[in-house]
Amino acid sequence: GVGIYMLLDDVKVSYELTNTMMQGLIFVSALAIYIIYAFLFRAAKVINNREYKRQGWLMGSYANNVNQTEGHRFTDSSLVKSKMKESNKRTLFIDKFKFDLKVVNKLSLGNIQKKIAEKSECFIDPSDMRQGSLSIGQMGSGKSQFNFNILTQNETKQMFARTFTFDSKGEYYSIFANKRKDINLNILDERGAWWDIFKENETSPLVAETFFATIFKAQAGGKKDYFSAAMQDRFTNSFKFIAVNNPNASSKDKFKMWMDELELYFLETQGKDSKSEKDVSQSMKLIMSFFAYMSFLAQNDRKSFTFNDYYSTRDIKIFATYKDDQSEKLMPYYSALLAVNFQILLSREDQNDDNLSFFNLDEFLTFANAIEYKILEGFLTRGRSKGACIKCDIQYLKSDQESAKISQLLLS
């Protein structure tokens, strides 16, 4: 009897073990079938009228039309992972791959695929920045953080020979500037340097006209009128007169002579009855303040610079800093300096990938309207051959006629 009982007990244990194994096998089989179904056969989903596949490796950051035949597509996560993997050339870290939050929960095995894909770090070759880049986003969307990321890496990896940063808050300057050799364009700042227009004119004689044309257009709100044209002629002619007739004088002395010449003109127009002469004179005084600041810095032997020297130097940075209360006063001056910078860049010989110039242009549209379209177009389209790595930041695309033309150029 004891033997029979033990045998029956063994059979019971064996049955329960077999039953458990069968349940486990059924579960594993069901899971495998679901995975195959979910990954390979599950119907595509629709988001914002876009039908897309649910597999994470076939999904870009956002939905693509399954049957799309033209236009742009978001790159599949698997392709991003393989094409943007760190290598000897791909050294500039951009970010980790991200799915848009609207589509994450629509993936076949959402969180699993999300975690796998979003572990992928994306790198590019710094020279790829020669193709140009555009960041669009409202304040707080991360544009500045992206710029900090690039500039921070450049401090250690030396990817760019020189950088130009439009610094609306002075944050970049306080962190990345070497006060001894780097340049702050803000002539209202005690740390600011003055642009030696007379020295620049010796090697690039056309930039003075570009500077005057841009600063007067910017002062007039991006429009050309009789008064801005008359002012431009007066400044240009007086500048040329001083430069040509005093070839051996220092820039400091030339600046003083130039200021005296302009002040004399102001005094002459005060006693005239011509309304147009008086209007021109009063408008000129607004522009005169820029050159008065520059002259003051020159007379006090403050740091000076030229863009030709900038492009002949490595490991140097330029910052266009300003505070909110300085924006209106400095923006015409900065627009003119940028136009000169672009023009000198375009006059250079073609550059190799070991001599790149990074342009970090925040709030691009605030100064772009004042720059002659031909110069702006040349900078954005031909600057790459001159080693320019251009990054433009805007909050949104403006719809007015002048800005729309520039926006189209940015998106081309």
Side-chain angles (χ1 to χ4, degrees):
V2 174
I4 294 174
Y5 176 80
M6 292 178 64
L7 180 62
L8 291 175
D9 193 49
D10 289 343
V11 171
K12 180 180 179 183
V13 171
S14 177
Y15 170 77
E16 291 177 350
L17 183 61
T18 303
N19 187 47
T20 301
M21 292 177 61
M22 286 296 296
Q23 290 177 348
L25 183 60
I26 292 173
F27 173 78
V28 171
S29 300
L31 180 61
I33 292 172
Y34 172 75
I35 291 175
I36 294 173
Y37 162 72
F39 277 33
L40 301 179
F41 300 106
R42 194 172 182 182
K45 297 290 290 186
V46 176
I47 291 183
N48 291 354
N49 298 319
R50 293 186 181 190
E51 186 179 16
Y52 67 96
K53 296 178 180 179
R54 299 174 62 98
Q55 297 93 317
W57 60 86
L58 298 177
M59 168 70 77
S61 290
Y62 196 70
N64 290 315
N65 290 332
V66 171
N67 299 315
Q68 183 177 343
T69 58
E70 60 183 5
H72 298 293
R73 290 177 62 84
F74 284 88
T75 307
D76 299 344
S77 64
S78 59
L79 191 57
V80 170
K81 184 175 181 179
S82 63
K83 293 290 186 181
M84 302 186 75
K85 187 176 181 180
E86 185 176 15
S87 67
N88 290 334
K89 286 190 174 182
R90 289 192 291 270
T91 58
L92 176 56
F93 172 67
I94 298 300
D95 205 344
K96 290 186 176 181
F97 180 85
K98 279 286 187 184
F99 285 115
D100 188 278
L101 294 177
K102 295 178 182 178
V103 301
V104 166
N105 62 347
K106 304 295 183 182
L107 296 175
S108 298
L109 294 175
N111 286 330
I112 296 177
Q113 294 192 63
K114 175 178 179 293
K115 289 179 180 179
I116 294 174
E118 293 190 350
K119 286 182 179 179
S120 303
E121 293 185 336
C122 302
F123 291 81
I124 64 171
D125 185 333
S127 64
D128 289 342
M129 295 287 287
R130 295 175 79 150
Q131 300 178 40
S133 60
L134 174 65
S135 297
I136 305 176
Q138 297 296 324
M139 292 181 63
S141 59
K143 301 190 300 297
S144 295
Q145 191 61 41
F146 186 23
N147 297 331
F148 269 107
N149 170 31
I150 296 175
L151 293 174
T152 299
Q153 292 182 73
N154 190 56
E155 290 294 296
T156 56
K157 299 179 182 179
Q158 298 292 305
M159 299 173 290
F160 308 109
R162 62 197 62 83
T163 63
F164 183 105
T165 297
F166 203 76
D167 190 0
S168 60
K169 298 178 182 178
E171 296 174 326
Y172 300 107
Y173 182 81
S174 63
I175 295 175
F176 298 108
N178 181 324
K179 309 299 191 299
R180 181 180 57 82
K181 64 177 181 177
D182 293 335
I183 300 164
N184 183 353
L185 299 184
N186 190 343
I187 53 178
L188 304 180
D189 191 312
E190 62 181 6
R191 303 163 298 180
W194 60 281
W195 175 49
D196 192 340
I197 184 174
F198 286 98
K199 182 180 178 182
E200 197 90 81
N201 184 68
E202 293 173 2
T203 51
S204 303
L206 296 179
V207 298
E209 293 186 17
T210 297
F211 181 82
F212 296 131
T214 307
I215 197 170
F216 289 120
K217 183 181 177 182
Q219 186 66 43
K223 301 177 181 178
K224 290 185 177 181
D225 54 28
Y226 167 77
F227 297 113
S228 61
M231 287 189 290
Q232 178 183 332
D233 290 341
R234 172 63 66 173
F235 270 75
T236 303
N237 293 335
S238 62
F239 172 83
K240 288 181 177 179
F241 178 82
I242 297 299
V244 171
N245 290 283
N246 302 276
N248 298 322
S250 66
S251 295
K252 175 181 176 178
D253 292 338
K254 289 177 184 177
F255 238 117
K256 188 176 186 309
M257 287 186 279
W258 186 35
M259 292 296 99
D260 292 342
E261 177 78 15
L262 292 174
E263 286 290 351
L264 182 61
Y265 172 71
F266 291 144
L267 292 174
E268 290 176 353
T269 56
Q270 295 305 306
K272 293 187 176 181
D273 295 330
S274 170
K275 183 178 184 300
S276 61
E277 287 280 352
K278 287 185 177 180
D279 288 341
V280 170
S281 175
Q282 291 302 314
S283 299
M284 282 181 70
K285 281 192 173 182
L286 298 175
I287 300 294
M288 184 74 174
S289 62
F290 297 115
F291 301 104
Y293 282 121
M294 292 169 67
S295 180
F296 174 81
L297 296 178
Q299 304 313 313
N300 287 275
D301 299 319
R302 295 278 288 276
K303 182 193 294 187
S304 65
F305 73 95
T306 67
F307 289 108
N308 277 294
D309 288 343
Y310 167 71
Y311 284 113
S312 300
T313 307
R314 298 184 69 89
D315 191 23
I316 187 171
K317 312 178 191 74
I318 290 182
F319 300 86
T321 68
Y322 65 92
K323 300 176 181 177
D324 290 340
D325 59 344
Q326 298 174 337
S327 175
E328 185 176 353
K329 182 174 289 188
L330 283 173
M331 205 53 65
Y333 176 67
Y334 282 167
S335 297
L337 284 181
L338 279 168
V340 170
N341 187 355
F342 297 165
Q343 189 173 40
I344 292 177
L345 170 79
L346 294 172
S347 69
R348 303 179 73 214
E349 296 180 352
D350 289 354
Q351 302 295 314
N352 297 322
D353 289 345
D354 62 350
N355 194 22
L356 301 177
S357 303
F358 178 63
F359 289 83
N360 176 21
L361 302 177
D362 192 15
E363 301 296 341
F364 182 78
L365 295 179
T366 60
F367 55 80
N369 281 342
I371 299 175
E372 184 182 350
Y373 183 80
K374 185 179 295 185
I375 295 177
L376 199 61
E377 182 182 33
F379 172 66
L380 292 174
T381 58
R382 292 186 286 111
R384 66 188 66 181
S385 65
K386 312 301 180 180
C389 298
I390 305 167
K391 183 179 182 298
C392 301
D393 293 354
I394 60 176
Q395 292 192 31
Y396 55 89
L397 295 170
K398 296 182 179 180
S399 57
D400 61 276
Q401 185 174 359
E402 187 68 23
S403 296
K405 189 177 181 181
I406 297 174
S407 297
Q408 185 178 7
L409 180 61
L410 284 173
L411 295 173
S412 67

